[in-house]
Amino acid sequence: QVQLVESGGGLVQPGGSLRLSCAASGSIFSIRAMGWYRSAPGKQRELVAIITSAGTTDYADSVKGRFTISRDNAKNTVYLQMNSLKPEDTAVYYCNAKGVRTIRGVGDYWGQGTQVTVSS
């Protein structure tokens, strides 16, 4: 059974920083890509950032230059460093793992979500 456990959310003032972490556990052989999505009230879930096992990254236009995604393949962990946070970054942030290979096959998994609130 694969589980994704997120941490690092919270309340921060505009212009502040937060770092999210997501660790995948279970009998995992490999993970093709890991990323972060977010869901704000009244909006569809959107991709924030994604990183492949080779280190290739992609970001939503709204966070380019402010957020940095990184990954520790040995620990099956992905990080999201969020700087210069804005009120519009307020959302529940979800970790996602794509192409997770285990003894049972290959699948995609989601974390439970962590709240990020940017407010003065």
Side-chain angles (χ1 to χ4, degrees), residues 24-102:
S25 63
S27 299
I28 298 171
F29 297 143
S30 63
I31 303 176
R32 178 168 54 83
M34 298 186 77
W36 292 91
Y37 291 71
R38 65 187 180 187
S39 181
K43 295 184 179 181
Q44 288 187 330
R45 186 176 296 190
E46 64 173 351
L47 173 68
V48 177
I50 192 167
I51 184 167
T52 69
S53 58
T56 302
T57 60
D58 194 19
Y59 296 89
D61 288 342
S62 60
V63 306
K64 284 181 180 177
R66 300 188 298 122
F67 291 10
T68 302
I69 191 169
S70 61
R71 176 174 173 175
D72 185 334
N73 289 333
K75 296 181 179 179
N76 289 326
T77 299
V78 65
Y79 307 94
L80 185 68
Q81 178 65 43
M82 304 185 292
N83 299 328
S84 302
L85 282 160
K86 304 175 181 180
E88 50 264 44
D89 294 317
T90 296
V92 177
Y93 284 69
Y94 297 91
C95 178
N96 173 259
K98 300 183 186 298
V100 181
R101 184 174 298 277
T102 69

